[in-house]
Amino acid sequence: MQLGRASSRRLYKPSSRYLFIHSARRAFSVALQRKAQDVSTEVSRTRNIGIIAHIDAGKTTTTERMLYYSGHTRRIGNVDEGSTVTDFLPAERARGVTIQSAAISFHWPPLSVGDLQNTSANTSNLVPHNINLIDTPGHADFTFEVLRSLRILDGAVCILDGVAGVEAQTEKVWYQAAKYRIPKIIYVNKLDRDGAAFGETVKQIAARLHAWPAVCQVPWWEGGRGKFVGLGDAIGLRSFKWTEGGDGKDFQVISIDDLPSSEAEFALEIKKARRALVELLSEHDERMVEKYLEVDEDHLAIASEDIMISLRRCVLNQSSNIVPVFAGASFQNMGVQPLLDAVIQLLPSPIEALDPEINLGGVEGTLSSLLSGKLVSAGIGPKSKASTAKFKKQSTALIQNLESCALAFKVVHDSRRGTLVYVRVYSGSIKRQSMLFNTNLQVSERAPQLLKMYASDSVQIDTIPAGQIGVIPGLKYARTGDTLISYTGANPKSGPPSPLNTLQLRPIEVPPAVFFSSVEPHSMSEEKTVKSALDILIREDPSLQVSEDEESGQTLLSGMGDFHLEIARDRLVNDMKAKAAMGKIEIAYRESILEASSPDIYVFDKEQGGKQGRASCIAHVEPLSETTQIPLDDEYAYSAYEDGNRVTISLKPTTDDASEAEPWDGDLPPHLSIPSLHSALKNGALAALSRGINYAFQLHNTHVLLTLDPRKHIFGTDTTPAALSSAARLATKAALKATALENGSVLMEPVMNVTVSVDEASLGAVVNDISSSRGGHIMSLDDAGVTSGPAVNSTPDPLPRIDVARVYAPPDPFGPSASQTRGQGIAVDGRRQRNITARVPLKEMVGYLKHLRSLTGGRGTFVMGADRFERVVGQREKVLLKELRGF
Ligand SMILES: Nc1nc2c(ncn2[C@@H]2O[C@H](COP(=O)(O)OP(=O)(O)OP(=O)(O)O)[C@@H](O)[C@H]2O)c(=O)[nH]1
């Protein structure tokens, strides 16, 4: 921290006990825009961060304050009144929940222009930074949205509800963030509420998130047991006090030596927190030990800057597993400015962030290994010796021509500005008018304009440099999750040369959809507009899927949960005004084959869209298991796992005697390329897998092997990508039919991973209900609290356990026992809770919330996510089939 003890003496003039360091601000002006542009191109002064938490922990409320204090909004938006900047969809505002991640940029400390001054808690010692903030949804149905956002974050703020403590959804997202090794800080919010228990929450961080809490702030309850009025800063040995009912801009910074005698205990607690912090850091950071010895082992004498530097080292080097903990009550406008200081002081810049993972032609590596040419040496590209040498030579030139590489992480349809594609640039820079090649769709499109989003304002910019987030309006094709690259001298039709045209940044697997609903346009004439609206929906959210049921002709929309589909319906009908009705939300069962088929060849020869189409290919299908062999022995082979199935494509001569076959040299008619062959054949196979033969459900656990002999199965210009897709679809379908009719197929149902939080008294009833009435399997019974010892049958998680007895946590004046003695007579929610983890068929979870509430007196909560599809057997299969067939 920049404000050390010496400087604190300089700032706290003896004559003035309290120091007011804040002033009014004016709106974002032209001068500021210019200055903003300068700051935002400086990567070391950029933070790409996300806010993660359980539903209702206060992410949106906190974000609104961040925008306000940074000078980007003139008033504070209110979630409960539906006036926030980040929850901008009507459906979000109506429900008060965040559904889409919104990315907005602001500066902290604010840019100083004219009367606009720096108001961070650390005064002028911090230089303005550009913060790109992504607000993520907390509802379990939108977990995919969170996971996708996590892939582009360099750091995260995890917000906890100070009353409920660590909740199930937080745990889930926390472990994901830990898996991606994203540095995090924690903000314990809602400390103004009755029953807030900061100390207990700190212990839960250790017990349930398995992180060492580095308590940087302690809550200030007036006189020890009064109202929540501010915070004690263990790093700066001072306190912050906010004016009740104010907008939070004005707060007092009081050195602990200046605290009144009525707050002696509070001052003592700040010192205790400082000792605990120094000790914790000393255990993980040698240099902190040196500092400690330099000041004769006086915990309080270490300069606050040294503590901050050590803490930053520990946060960035995640092996220490230390997480700094901050506190506040965003709704009361308390605690947000010091939190913002912590964001820029503790979380990494893009330069310090982890090297992004990439996939190049099916081989995994990192972006820096690609840019340095190492990925090529590691065996990317052609497999034969001669061609590898040639390829290596070409690769340097290839990489030099790569102008930029970016990930489209969000597509938003804005009624005013049209489609906005949010991108994070990873290398080079995207310039206005750049031709961008979409490696997922194999299409090129120009970026007509570039924008930077500041709250509800947007500013036109000329470039989006590496490390930055920006918006490209007007792209026609880019979808959420697509990789976009610009390349000097790219072919306008086929894009950059191979293998760069296959580059995928941070690929992420879409989880299976478990619910679906039909979409019926009101009339034939509406079909086209409904289809366009659905196209926008799936461009925005790749966890939604649209399919056509061949036999009934119905359009089906599938998603992650009933709430997910409900929101999709809202978007479609209310926001996009599509004239369509959505049917009942139903469970998406799957079908799986039991035996392999013999190879089936199909020759497609038909007119398509007024043009002759001709292509051929061979399909072979088999059940997919861990032992399935994936033949990737020829250099043009390709394999992709999608939505529970695998499609492998082999492009090679198909002579009976393989030794006689002349190897194929990769020659293709000019209108075709290897990636276009792969993509057309894969899409054809996936279309065939969308409907099973016996039960009409999508196929699951199926491996399709498509073989195409380029000399025999391609017929000059008649072989269009559409003809190839049709050949692949029909060949796959024939192979599926052959095995399903001869050997039968089985029904699979989605099984969910469910975490139920209940109080001790309801535990027995809930466990009994899950295991006997719902056919679920209890996986573990964890203690959600921390007071009754270690967890029983711990859930699997990637982090080592922490001895809670060694964790420093300040006492809670209003903890559970205190609240009972405060005459309220009820235990505070979130304390003494038990967590039940179980695997339960989705069918048995429909309407569960209502039942859980009745079993727990309204206090039980649960989150669930799809675990896997399981075969339905015995009596259950009979009953289910009867139900599905309706007879
Ligand atoms: N008393 C109190 N209430 C708060 C505080 N912060 C947020 N709230 C309230 O908690 C509720 C949820 O706040 P949000 O900001 O919407 O929470 P969120 O985490 O964004 O929720 P989702 O978008 O649904 O995931 C709202 O009613 C807020 O007014 C706080 O510090 N104190």
Side-chain angles (χ1 to χ4, degrees):
M1 187 177 283
Q2 274 77 359
L3 192 67
R5 298 188 90 207
S7 56
S8 111
R9 268 199 295 277
R10 178 167 49 81
L11 277 167
Y12 303 117
K13 294 180 205 139
S15 56
S16 74
R17 199 154 145 206
Y18 300 138
L19 186 74
F20 289 84
I21 54 171
H22 306 289
S23 69
R25 182 137 340 186
R26 67 183 158 84
F28 197 54
S29 67
V30 178
L32 274 177
Q33 288 184 14
R34 214 166 300 128
K35 204 157 178 181
Q37 183 87 15
D38 297 344
V39 173
S40 58
T41 47
E42 228 182 274
V43 187
S44 62
R45 280 162 62 182
T46 292
R47 299 290 179 272
N48 294 314
I49 61 151
I51 297 193
I52 54 175
H54 189 88
I55 190 161
D56 275 358
K59 293 179 300 292
T60 311
T61 305
T62 307
T63 309
E64 287 297 321
R65 270 72 188 165
M66 290 179 168
L67 292 175
Y68 180 65
Y69 298 137
S70 63
H72 286 273
T73 51
R74 286 164 196 265
R75 56 180 208 89
I76 300 176
N78 187 323
V79 180
D80 307 304
E81 289 164 10
S83 59
T84 61
V85 171
T86 50
D87 283 352
F88 57 86
L89 293 178
E92 291 178 317
R93 291 191 164 171
R95 290 175 170 82
V97 297
T98 310
I99 294 152
Q100 293 201 19
S101 315
I104 35 176
S105 304
F106 60 90
H107 299 95
W108 189 259
L111 302 171
S112 307
V113 175
D115 62 343
L116 193 87
Q117 278 163 24
N118 185 326
T119 59
S120 84
N122 291 305
T123 67
S124 55
N125 289 328
L126 290 179
V127 291
H129 281 60
N130 172 43
I131 299 182
N132 296 314
L133 183 131
I134 294 152
D135 185 28
T136 60
H139 194 285
D141 275 12
F142 298 93
T143 304
F144 178 69
E145 186 80 20
V146 182
L147 298 191
R148 202 157 30 72
S149 310
L150 284 180
R151 307 287 277 175
I152 59 134
L153 302 179
D154 300 330
V157 176
C158 174
I159 300 189
L160 300 180
D161 178 333
V163 177
V166 173
E167 295 170 274
Q169 180 67 7
T170 313
E171 266 182 292
K172 200 166 157 184
V173 181
W174 182 271
Y175 290 137
Q176 277 298 337
K179 203 170 131 197
Y180 297 153
R181 298 180 46 222
I182 296 169
K184 300 170 283 299
I185 58 179
I186 285 182
Y187 175 66
V188 181
N189 187 32
K190 301 200 184 180
L191 291 177
D192 60 313
R193 280 189 53 197
D194 250 9
F198 178 77
E200 190 72 11
T201 306
V202 166
K203 288 185 202 156
Q204 288 187 6
I205 293 168
R208 297 187 58 188
L209 302 181
H210 302 183
W212 282 104
V215 177
C216 299
Q217 291 177 338
V218 291
W220 182 355
W221 276 288
E222 208 165 37
R225 296 181 66 80
K227 282 195 308 263
F228 175 67
V229 291
L231 298 163
D233 171 7
I235 301 176
L237 293 174
R238 57 189 177 166
S239 58
F240 309 125
K241 189 172 188 186
W242 277 267
T243 316
E244 194 180 353
D247 67 0
K249 271 185 188 165
D250 294 335
F251 62 90
Q252 304 160 2
V253 183
I254 311 163
S255 157
I256 45 171
D257 301 331
D258 292 334
L259 279 166
S261 56
S262 56
E263 300 295 353
E265 241 180 79
F266 173 55
L268 217 62
E269 200 58 52
I270 300 175
K271 290 181 187 167
K272 255 193 191 168
R274 160 64 93 101
R275 275 189 207 100
L277 189 57
V278 170
E279 270 158 31
L280 178 64
L281 292 173
S282 302
E283 281 178 35
H284 298 273
D285 182 24
E286 281 288 311
R287 277 181 271 178
M288 179 45 55
V289 179
E290 285 164 22
K291 294 283 170 197
Y292 179 59
L293 295 176
E294 272 170 28
V295 291
D296 295 333
E297 305 187 12
D298 178 357
H299 299 84
L300 304 184
I302 301 174
S304 51
E305 292 92 333
D306 290 331
I307 296 191
M308 193 56 97
I309 291 168
S310 169
L311 191 54
R312 178 165 227 265
R313 243 189 325 262
C314 291
V315 173
L316 298 196
N317 164 19
Q318 295 205 21
S319 55
S320 69
N321 208 8
I322 282 181
V323 60
V325 181
F326 295 84
S330 300
F331 189 69
Q332 307 296 347
N333 307 323
M334 296 189 207
V336 177
Q337 296 95 326
L339 175 67
L340 281 168
D341 288 348
V343 164
I344 60 174
Q345 289 177 304
L346 295 173
L347 294 177
S349 76
I351 308 167
E352 296 157 309
L354 285 180
D355 198 4
E357 289 161 23
I358 63 159
N359 185 306
L360 189 69
V363 179
E364 283 165 15
T366 61
L367 185 62
S368 67
S369 64
L370 170 79
L371 297 177
S372 66
K374 276 192 207 134
L375 200 58
V376 175
S377 345
I380 281 280
K383 310 278 191 303
S384 77
K385 264 191 184 164
S387 53
T388 302
K390 190 172 131 210
F391 183 80
K392 261 188 178 179
K393 229 172 144 192
Q394 289 169 345
S395 70
T396 320
L398 266 182
I399 289 158
Q400 274 168 2
N401 288 338
L402 183 65
E403 287 167 8
S404 69
C405 170
L407 185 75
F409 67 91
K410 182 81 215 158
V411 175
V412 171
H413 189 71
D414 181 285
S415 54
R416 210 156 39 94
R417 303 184 186 95
T419 305
L420 303 177
V421 177
Y422 285 77
V423 293
R424 155 94 197 241
V425 179
Y426 282 94
S427 80
S429 63
I430 295 185
K431 297 187 181 62
R432 193 151 46 89
Q433 293 299 334
S434 289
M435 183 60 91
L436 298 173
F437 181 73
N438 184 322
T439 61
N440 299 71
L441 297 173
Q442 298 285 308
V443 293
S444 298
E445 53 184 333
R446 205 171 282 286
Q449 266 184 55
L450 304 176
L451 301 175
K452 187 105 190 152
M453 305 300 273
Y454 293 100
S456 43
D457 288 325
S458 58
V459 176
Q460 296 242 13
I461 49 176
D462 293 329
T463 56
I464 311 174
Q468 294 299 341
I469 282 170
V471 170
I472 313 179
L475 291 181
K476 280 206 189 73
Y477 305 105
R479 305 164 306 177
T480 298
D482 285 351
T483 299
L484 307 174
I485 59 178
S486 55
Y487 185 87
T488 315
N491 180 321
K493 254 188 146 177
S494 58
S498 170
L500 276 188
N501 56 358
T502 63
L503 175 63
Q504 303 269 302
L505 268 166
R506 299 192 180 271
I508 176 163
E509 223 174 78
V510 180
V514 290
F515 280 103
F516 73 94
S517 163
S518 60
V519 182
E520 292 282 354
H522 287 169
S523 66
M524 293 272 276
S525 59
E526 294 298 336
E527 259 175 31
K528 218 170 149 196
T529 46
V530 172
K531 191 179 174 306
S532 317
L534 282 171
D535 283 347
I536 294 174
L537 261 192
I538 52 172
R539 263 184 86 189
E540 287 180 354
D541 179 357
S543 61
L544 283 172
Q545 291 165 17
V546 174
S547 57
E548 241 6 271
D549 188 72
E550 258 183 33
E551 270 164 42
S552 64
Q554 259 183 338
T555 302
L556 304 177
L557 182 67
S558 325
M560 304 285 111
D562 44 359
F563 185 53
H564 189 200
L565 282 183
E566 226 183 83
I567 295 292
R569 175 187 355 220
D570 242 49
R571 293 275 295 130
L572 198 67
V573 177
N574 298 335
D575 301 352
M576 301 187 201
K577 311 279 178 234
K579 293 201 169 52
M582 273 179 74
K584 208 169 92 203
I585 294 177
E586 293 176 59
I587 293 175
Y589 292 96
R590 297 282 197 274
E591 187 173 333
S592 193
I593 52 170
L594 290 165
E595 299 287 338
S597 71
S598 38
D600 220 302
I601 182 157
Y602 195 91
V603 184
F604 177 83
D605 192 352
K606 219 172 166 184
E607 218 181 79
Q608 280 182 319
K611 196 173 177 295
Q612 191 57 33
R614 206 166 157 225
S616 178
C617 82
I618 304 169
H620 166 79
V621 297
E622 61 183 342
L624 181 68
S625 71
E626 276 168 14
T627 56
T628 304
Q629 296 282 328
I630 311 296
L632 284 173
D633 44 358
D634 64 291
E635 67 184 69
Y636 303 106
Y638 166 89
S639 186
Y641 182 81
E642 257 180 56
D643 207 6
N645 299 304
R646 180 169 282 284
V647 179
T648 303
I649 294 163
S650 180
L651 304 178
K652 62 177 182 192
T654 52
T655 314
D656 289 342
D657 183 350
S659 61
E660 276 177 19
E662 275 272 311
W664 178 54
D665 56 7
D667 244 14
L668 283 171
H671 70 288
L672 292 175
S673 63
I674 305 281
S676 71
L677 281 188
H678 288 158
S679 135
L681 293 168
K682 182 181 82 174
N683 290 341
L686 292 178
L689 290 171
S690 68
R691 188 185 169 96
I693 304 298
N694 292 328
Y695 307 117
F697 286 115
Q698 185 182 319
L699 267 300
H700 191 71
N701 275 357
T702 307
H703 179 216
V704 182
L705 175 62
L706 294 174
T707 310
L708 182 136
D709 180 339
R711 293 193 196 112
K712 287 191 203 156
H713 299 149
I714 291 179
F715 308 93
T717 49
D718 281 358
T719 302
T720 56
L724 282 162
S725 252
S726 300
R729 178 171 59 83
L730 293 163
T732 308
K733 199 160 181 193
L736 282 172
K737 201 166 180 175
T739 178
L741 294 184
E742 193 179 330
N743 309 305
S745 54
V746 288
L747 194 65
M748 317 260 311
E749 68 175 337
V751 175
M752 310 303 280
N753 237 329
V754 185
T755 307
V756 191
S757 299
V758 294
D759 53 21
E760 189 82 50
S762 324
L763 185 74
V766 174
V767 166
N768 189 36
D769 175 62
I770 291 178
S771 46
S772 45
S773 316
R774 291 174 197 275
H777 292 281
I778 304 289
M779 310 300 287
S780 73
L781 292 180
D782 272 0
D783 232 320
V786 290
T787 40
S788 19
V792 184
N793 283 336
S794 63
T795 36
D797 60 61
L799 303 168
R801 292 192 160 261
I802 278 171
D803 178 3
V804 180
R806 291 187 52 221
V807 169
Y808 161 77
D812 288 323
F814 312 122
S817 47
S819 77
Q820 278 161 343
T821 56
R822 275 155 70 212
Q824 298 178 359
I826 46 156
V828 176
D829 279 351
R831 313 291 133 205
R832 287 180 297 141
Q833 275 197 322
R834 301 294 301 271
N835 261 2
I836 305 159
T837 312
R839 291 181 53 238
V840 191
L842 175 60
K843 182 174 187 296
E844 308 305 329
M845 293 304 293
V846 174
Y848 182 63
L849 186 61
K850 209 168 149 199
H851 190 71
L852 179 67
R853 292 217 164 121
S854 75
L855 282 178
T856 58
R859 284 195 292 277
T861 58
F862 79 99
V863 290
M864 66 177 182
D867 182 30
R868 64 177 97 163
F869 282 86
E870 272 180 11
R871 184 175 170 178
V872 188
V873 288
Q875 188 58 18
R876 198 172 156 73
E877 186 185 22
K878 282 195 193 124
V879 173
L880 200 57
L881 283 175
K882 200 169 159 200
E883 244 178 71
L884 292 170
R885 288 189 182 122
F887 55 87

